[in-house]
Amino acid sequence: MTKEGMSEGENMKELTRTINCKTCGKHFADLLLDESFAAQVREAGRQQTGPDAEAGAAAEPIHGAAAMQVAAHLAGCATCREELEQLQATYALLDSWTAPEPSAFFDSRLHVRLREVRAEEPERLWSRVRSFFLYSTRQRLRPVLAGALAVAVIAGGGGTFAGLYGHQDAMAIKTSPTVNDLKILDNNAQALQQMDELLDSGNDNSAPPVS
Amino acid sequence: MVSGLAPEQRRAAIARGDFSHLADSEVMLELKAGNMDAFDVLLAKYRKPMVHFMFRMVHNQAVAEELAQEVFLRVYRSRETYRAEARFSTWLYRIATNLGVNYARDTRYERTAATVYLDEVDAETGMTPDVADTTPSAEVGLLREERMEAIRRHVMALPERQRNAVLMHKYQGMDYQQIGEVLKLSESATKSLLFRAYQTLREKLKEFV
Ligand SMILES: [Zn+2]
């Protein structure tokens, strides 16, 4: 494919003039999507057409041959230049399709849904209790909440916090006492988590649980 | 993984609720380990991108928010199966893309499912409505609306994979390498997919350029 008698780096200027529109068009994807290639072509274009064009052409090419060729072709071909400009303009035009900000209730709605999901995973109670005490960032509240959990466990009453969180009443109770106890424990763990979120809501402006 | 933090410093930072030194994938591993603070960290970072992504897919804010919430719920539900070798955002966008695409199919917002893997098919053959041939309006706001509507319509009329690629590339600021990971395509395939999409859009949106 290489022209006979043309050694590497020799007469770069002539080489850069040799691609046609079709070959040039094959580089449009890179010109549009690959910023480093596009920058190379721009820079090569400046070198080839700028005031020091002769010096630039004579000097060792600092850009890939493809960038040099594309720059040279674009400089001399209005059709390709126009096509490229249209592509770039379309790409910029797409910016005017804007999207609205998330609504103020996004997080609170999500947390309600998240609690529903978590409520369906009772088998994970112990890992949840564990992680609650392990990871809770509200250090100073820990003793209080630990005490609360102990009280809740001893009392064994699912209703301890149920008054605060109405949706837990929806938890159907028609299972064996053991499973039931586990569920109660689970509810209490959840209630603690929710209480934690409530106490924290002053800082992160998330809305209190809705049910 | 994390630059400049010893394991014990890391644990201390996590216990303080400071996740700033963690990569997304490590935050996700925290969630996997049962740390719910990690969920809020991921939510804070990806809430807006997810709502925007979904909004452009479904063009309805209420639906977009519900779907974006569903993305986060799936992240939570799938935490056990998360493997850190995948970039978190790649995994997230895969979930989001599946959800958005399924929603669009279910609501028949969309071209027929048969065209899904036929990106090469001319976009013209789809159900692309013609751009309304209105006379230039003096109202700048109206023109803006019209332009936005045309962009939306023509992006949505693209074949599914092209459309998803454009949404991620143009509006989510992702590079084609990562888009390729989400769509499970090679880098060069993603590049040509995107380029075909932009060429089509140039043709369709001529009058606005
Ligand atoms: Zn040309």
Side-chain angles (χ1 to χ4, degrees):
Chain A
M1 289 292 269
T2 48
K3 275 185 185 173
E4 52 184 64
M6 189 174 282
S7 65
E8 200 180 340
E10 182 193 323
N11 206 346
M12 199 58 193
K13 196 164 184 175
E14 190 188 320
L15 178 70
T16 59
R17 293 272 153 80
T18 57
I19 64 165
N20 58 22
C21 294
K22 196 170 172 233
T23 312
C24 181
K26 282 182 181 155
H27 291 287
F28 278 13
D30 283 326
L31 280 167
L32 191 66
L33 303 170
D34 183 340
E35 183 41 44
S36 87
F37 182 76
Q40 274 186 40
V41 171
R42 276 196 302 273
E43 183 54 34
R46 267 194 291 276
Q47 264 188 25
Q48 286 165 14
T49 58
D52 49 11
E54 290 307 311
E60 196 68 16
I62 56 162
H63 306 297
M68 301 284 284
Q69 289 172 334
V70 170
H73 182 88
L74 285 174
C77 178
T79 312
C80 285
R81 219 160 47 227
E82 198 183 315
E83 198 182 330
L84 180 64
E85 277 163 13
Q86 274 182 17
L87 263 171
Q88 287 164 336
T90 306
Y91 187 71
L93 171 75
L94 295 176
D95 283 333
S96 52
W97 184 13
T98 54
E101 296 302 294
S103 73
F105 304 108
F106 185 84
D107 283 18
S108 51
R109 287 202 187 109
L110 173 57
H111 278 107
V112 168
R113 293 178 70 184
L114 180 64
R115 274 196 294 277
E116 284 164 9
V117 169
R118 299 188 78 198
E120 288 160 12
E121 301 181 322
E123 76 281 5
R124 296 184 52 78
L125 168 65
W126 290 114
S127 69
R128 232 183 293 160
V129 170
R130 186 185 145 271
S131 64
F132 175 75
F133 287 103
L134 203 61
Y135 294 117
S136 174
T137 56
R138 269 65 65 181
Q139 303 274 357
R140 67 210 146 75
L141 288 173
R142 265 194 219 178
V144 179
L145 292 169
L149 179 71
V151 168
V153 169
I154 292 161
T160 309
F161 295 101
L164 276 172
Y165 306 102
H167 77 272
Q168 288 184 34
D169 295 339
M171 196 72 91
I173 305 176
K174 56 174 204 181
T175 39
S176 78
T178 316
V179 172
N180 212 15
D181 283 346
L182 280 172
K183 276 190 175 170
I184 287 161
L185 278 175
D186 193 40
N187 286 352
N188 286 333
Q190 263 186 58
L192 284 179
Q193 195 95 27
Q194 287 162 345
M195 177 180 260
D196 197 39
E197 281 162 19
L198 261 181
L199 290 168
D200 198 38
S201 65
N203 311 331
D204 63 11
N205 67 38
S206 69
V210 187
S211 39
Chain B
M1 286 235 241
V2 182
S3 49
L5 270 196
E8 59 274 16
Q9 285 177 303
R10 248 190 72 190
R11 273 196 295 277
I14 292 167
R16 283 197 308 274
D18 173 12
F19 289 73
S20 56
H21 298 283
L22 300 192
D24 291 343
S25 58
E26 292 176 301
V27 177
M28 187 61 209
L29 290 176
E30 278 298 308
L31 178 63
K32 187 175 174 177
N35 184 353
M36 286 309 288
D37 288 345
F39 184 86
D40 291 324
V41 170
L42 294 171
L43 173 61
K45 181 163 179 184
Y46 289 102
R47 178 197 302 114
K48 194 164 142 178
M50 280 298 112
V51 170
H52 283 182
F53 188 57
M54 287 306 185
F55 176 79
R56 291 199 173 89
M57 279 202 174
V58 302
H59 197 53
N60 173 311
Q61 187 167 14
V63 175
E65 295 206 352
E66 222 178 292
L67 288 174
Q69 285 165 5
E70 186 58 34
V71 171
F72 288 108
L73 293 176
R74 288 194 185 189
V75 164
Y76 178 75
R77 282 199 208 97
S78 320
R79 65 198 181 282
E80 304 286 359
T81 56
Y82 178 73
R83 298 283 174 270
E85 58 257 32
R87 223 194 302 194
F88 173 77
S89 54
T90 300
W91 187 61
L92 186 74
Y93 275 99
R94 217 172 265 166
I95 295 173
T97 303
N98 286 339
L99 261 173
V101 165
N102 287 340
Y103 176 85
R105 280 182 198 158
D106 292 349
T107 52
R108 282 178 294 143
Y109 220 104
E110 238 311 288
R111 299 154 67 86
T112 56
T115 61
V116 167
Y117 298 107
L118 300 173
D119 282 350
E120 271 63 33
V121 166
D122 185 1
E124 284 282 14
T125 58
M127 305 179 268
T128 320
D130 289 322
V131 176
D133 187 18
T134 50
T135 47
S137 167
E139 297 249 17
V140 176
L142 202 67
L143 184 71
R144 207 183 110 77
E145 278 302 307
E146 198 183 307
R147 196 174 55 194
M148 220 155 101
E149 174 56 23
I151 293 169
R152 187 191 74 80
R153 181 153 17 94
H154 290 303
V155 171
M156 295 319 280
L158 291 169
E160 187 175 286
R161 283 197 303 186
Q162 285 188 27
R163 181 182 63 219
N164 290 336
V166 167
L167 291 182
M168 284 185 269
H169 183 255
K170 182 70 208 183
Y171 300 105
Q172 305 298 122
M174 291 159 72
D175 58 30
Y176 52 82
Q177 185 191 353
Q178 200 190 352
I179 295 167
E181 284 170 25
V182 174
L183 299 177
K184 298 178 180 170
L185 290 172
S186 73
E187 231 176 90
S188 64
T190 310
K191 201 197 284 181
S192 72
L193 188 76
L194 273 169
F195 186 61
R196 285 204 302 280
Y198 289 129
Q199 273 180 312
T200 303
L201 291 173
R202 180 194 57 164
E203 203 47 52
K204 300 286 184 187
L205 295 167
K206 237 178 207 160
E207 62 173 306
F208 296 99
V209 170

